[in-house]
Amino acid sequence: MSESKSGQWQWENAAAGAIAGFATVAAMHPLDVVRTRFQVNDGRVFNLPTYKNTAHAILTIARLEGLRGLYAGFFPAVLGSTLSWGLYFFFYGRAKQRYSKNGEEKLSPGLHLASAAEAGALVCLCTNPVWLVKTRLQLQTPLHQTRPYSGLYDALRTIMTEEGWTALYKGIVPSLFLVSHGAIQFTTYEELRKAIVDYKFKRSKQNPDNGDNTLNSVDYAILGGSSKVAAILLTYPFQVIRARLQQRPSSDGIPRYMDSWHVVKETFRFEGFRGFYKGITPNLLKNAPASSITFIVFENVLNFLRMARKDN
């Protein structure tokens, strides 16, 4: 593959990933708000609302805070997701290309894992401040005593003034551990994709009249959803730890948790193992279909860009 073609392919991956990320966030954001509020509610803080379940949470937020509450943190979520998916697919594509020696060698599952982990770590370092702001905006409710942030810029400026620039990287340790989420998801996706392609190819050889053996949007939806569920179940506790670390300090400036280990100890002490899976229901409701949407959009946009390139 020539250098110009490989560069073009990488940017096609980045563009497809960015569009896929935006579509996903726009469709699923209210469930993300609910998940974040469940994650940080340890039952010992009085400035956080308590919800019975996911449906009750959505209805309560809609009634008390309106559409603004359901879409709290939407702009940083769109920005973060678009940047994350775009950068992720870009870095992932480059890593796969490098490990496969420009497409000359077939990648093993281990190298798929390494590619995904490398891409995830780079994206994490680039986007952590945006995710921190998103979390804090989602946690703002009428019960909060501190002055609310008015938006992304105000949040960044206030955090820098009150807590210093290092506060923008709160939650970076569990975020780096969460790189395994993307690695598990993409490795599962690639391996399942390979299995379905092989199955369809064998079926078409046995029965040539059976139709097209290429993957379609239904296949991409199943692949995306299945790989996401596997990744969520294995890595969810890191999301809870990160959300709790990224909470805004109280009015006296003292953070609720000092570091990741402090979160682990306090959560296990007061809530047990179940505490690490708070918000798992809205998370699954959001991310399984969201991942299906992402991969449907990604694969179809990528196919469109490839076809457009061939026509030129």
Side-chain angles (χ1 to χ4, degrees), residues 16 52 96 102 106 114 137 146 159 186 200 237 267 277 300:
K52 296 174 186 173
K96 283 203 302 181
N102 289 329
K106 194 173 182 180
L137 288 173
T146 49
I159 291 165
F186 272 80
K200 286 198 167 193
T267 301
Y277 280 87
N300 283 291

Side-chain angles (χ1 to χ4, degrees), residues 222-241:
I222 293 168
L223 286 168
S226 301
S227 59
K228 190 68 174 181
V229 168
I232 287 170
L233 293 175
L234 290 170
T235 64
Y236 191 75
F238 294 119
Q239 291 191 38
V240 173
I241 294 167

Side-chain angles (χ1 to χ4, degrees), residues 67 98 249 255:
L67 199 62
R98 188 172 66 255

